[in-house]
């Protein structure tokens, strides 16, 4: 303790010195502890290094080697594995482009924009609904593929080339029903092919893009029809607000409840989903 006669400047200097001593003591304590921990770690490491080696049989060993194939069947198995991995990597694109998923997800997205509900329903719900509807629509096609192509190939009744050609038959039949003649003629002309006489004469690489743009056009047409009733509601609400002088009030705040009411009263989900699914039957 300092006497009361000491001035303020001396008291401030004394307090600063005591703080410096306290910090020095804490730093010294930390340094001692750190050195102690380092010494313990070094002792443990030396004990481990100095211990006798464990038997090699107690640890698993992973090795990658390249050996000569004993026969053509070994090479074919490796090629099949690479083909399966490649197919798995492009499976999402196949699901989206070669099925009814494209039409479903585009119509649902346009419906949400027409209603003006922002992110309701969320993207996860729309994508999940579109996927399950796709499974529902494509189930007969996949059952045909499994029964006539996959299972005979697993049972080694047909080879891989025959399995691929057999699997493409129901898929091509499904796509051909949805293709517009104008879209098919476009890609036939671009490919420089002669006019096909039967669907079997159309190459798969020509049928796939024709199917995709046909689905896009159909989806946008359905989306346009969905926009019309909701657009009428927006125009009526905007006209009423303008006539009442409420120009600062956003029309969407008033029209959204009426859109939801209309959609619920007409059972919109039942009508839309039913129309979409029946379009593939």
């Amino acid at each position: 303790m300092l006497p009361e006669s000491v001035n303020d400047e001396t008291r401030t200097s004394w307090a600063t010195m005591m703080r410096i001593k306290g910090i020095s003591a804490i730093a010294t304590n930390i340094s001692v502890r750190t050195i102690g921990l380092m010494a313990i770690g070094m002792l443990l490491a030396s004990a481990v290094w100095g211990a006798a080696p464990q038997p090699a049989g107690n640890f698993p060993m992973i090795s990658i080697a390249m050996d000569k194939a004993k026969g053509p069947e070994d090479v074919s198995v490796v090629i099949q594995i690479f083909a399966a991995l490649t197919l798995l990597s492009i499976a999402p694109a196949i699901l989206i482009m070669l099925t009814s998923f494209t039409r479903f997800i585009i119509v649902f997205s346009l419906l949400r924009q027409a209603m003006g509900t922002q992110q309701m329903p969320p993207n996860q719900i729309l994508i999940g609904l579109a996927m399950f509807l796709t499974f529902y629509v494509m189930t007969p096609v996949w059952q045909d593929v499994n029964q006539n192509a996959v299972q005979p190939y697993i049972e080694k009744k047909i080879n891989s080339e025959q399995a691929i050609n057999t699997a493409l038959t129901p898929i091509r039949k499904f796509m051909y029903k949805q293709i517009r003649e104008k879209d098919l003629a476009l890609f036939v002309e671009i490919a420089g092919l002669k006019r096909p006489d039967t669907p079997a004469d159309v190459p798969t690489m020509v049928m796939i893009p024709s199917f995709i743009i046909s689905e896009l056009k159909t989806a946008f047409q359905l989306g346009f029809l969905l926009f019309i009733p909701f657009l009428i509601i927006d125009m009526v609400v905007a006209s009423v607000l303008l006539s009442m002088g409420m120009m600062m009030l956003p029309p969407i705040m008033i029209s959204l409840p009426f859109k939801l009411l209309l959609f619920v009263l007409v059972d919109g989900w039942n009508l839309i989903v039913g129309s979409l699914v029946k379009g593939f039957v």
Side-chain angles (χ1 to χ4, degrees):
M1 295 289 298
L2 292 176
E4 297 181 355
S5 59
V6 178
N7 55 17
D8 294 339
E9 183 177 357
T10 304
R11 290 177 180 274
T12 302
S13 301
W14 176 260
T16 303
M17 291 177 61
M18 293 302 294
R19 290 175 183 174
I20 294 174
K21 289 182 179 180
I23 294 172
S24 301
I26 293 173
T28 303
N29 190 16
I30 293 174
S31 300
V32 171
R33 291 183 179 181
T34 303
I35 293 172
L37 291 174
M38 293 176 62
I40 293 173
M42 293 177 65
L43 290 175
L44 291 175
S46 61
V48 172
W49 290 340
Q54 298 293 329
N58 295 337
F59 298 95
M61 184 180 66
I62 300 175
S63 62
I64 299 175
M66 296 180 63
D67 298 329
K68 293 182 179 180
K70 298 180 180 180
E73 63 277 2
D74 295 339
V75 179
S76 62
V77 170
V78 174
I79 295 176
Q80 291 173 8
I81 293 174
F82 278 109
L85 294 176
T86 304
L87 182 61
L88 289 176
S89 64
I90 63 175
I94 296 175
L95 175 64
I96 292 174
M97 294 303 179
L98 303 184
T99 62
S100 57
F101 182 84
T102 303
R103 185 185 302 186
F104 288 143
I105 193 61
I106 291 177
V107 171
F108 292 153
S109 299
L110 292 177
L111 172 64
R112 184 174 62 182
Q113 293 182 10
M115 295 181 63
T117 54
Q118 302 299 328
Q119 294 298 323
M120 294 298 296
N123 291 330
Q124 292 85 350
I125 294 179
L126 293 183
I127 294 174
L129 178 59
M131 287 184 62
F132 279 106
L133 290 176
T134 301
F135 295 153
Y136 179 80
V137 171
M138 299 299 297
T139 295
V141 178
W142 292 339
Q143 288 179 348
D144 192 353
V145 172
N146 180 65
Q147 182 178 357
N148 298 324
V150 177
Q151 294 301 325
Y153 177 73
I154 294 176
E155 296 172 0
K156 297 183 179 180
K157 294 181 180 179
I158 58 176
N159 55 31
S160 58
E161 184 178 356
Q162 292 174 339
I164 293 174
N165 293 332
T166 306
L168 284 176
T169 301
I171 298 175
R172 285 168 53 89
K173 183 178 179 181
F174 168 80
M175 291 191 297
Y176 189 79
K177 288 183 179 180
Q178 311 302 327
I179 294 176
R180 301 173 185 270
E181 184 178 353
K182 184 178 179 180
D183 299 329
L184 183 61
L186 171 65
F187 286 97
V188 169
E189 181 182 357
I190 293 175
L193 302 175
K194 296 181 180 180
R195 181 182 178 88
D197 298 328
T198 61
D201 298 332
V202 181
T204 304
M205 292 298 103
V206 173
M207 187 174 292
I208 291 175
S210 303
F211 170 76
I212 293 172
I213 64 173
S214 296
E215 286 294 287
L216 290 174
K217 185 176 181 179
T218 303
F220 278 108
Q221 287 177 342
L222 295 174
F224 171 76
L225 296 177
L226 291 175
F227 257 93
I228 293 177
F230 300 115
L231 182 61
I232 293 174
I233 294 177
D234 285 333
M235 294 176 64
V236 172
V237 171
S239 300
V240 172
L241 292 178
L242 185 61
S243 62
M244 296 176 63
M246 299 180 179
M247 294 177 292
M248 301 302 294
L249 184 63
I252 191 172
M253 292 182 59
I254 308 301
S255 63
L256 181 58
F258 292 99
K259 292 179 181 178
L260 294 176
L261 179 62
L262 173 65
F263 193 74
V264 172
L265 289 178
V266 301
D267 199 1
W269 287 114
N270 185 283
L271 292 175
I272 293 174
V273 172
S275 300
L276 288 173
V277 173
K278 291 178 182 178
F280 290 98
V281 177

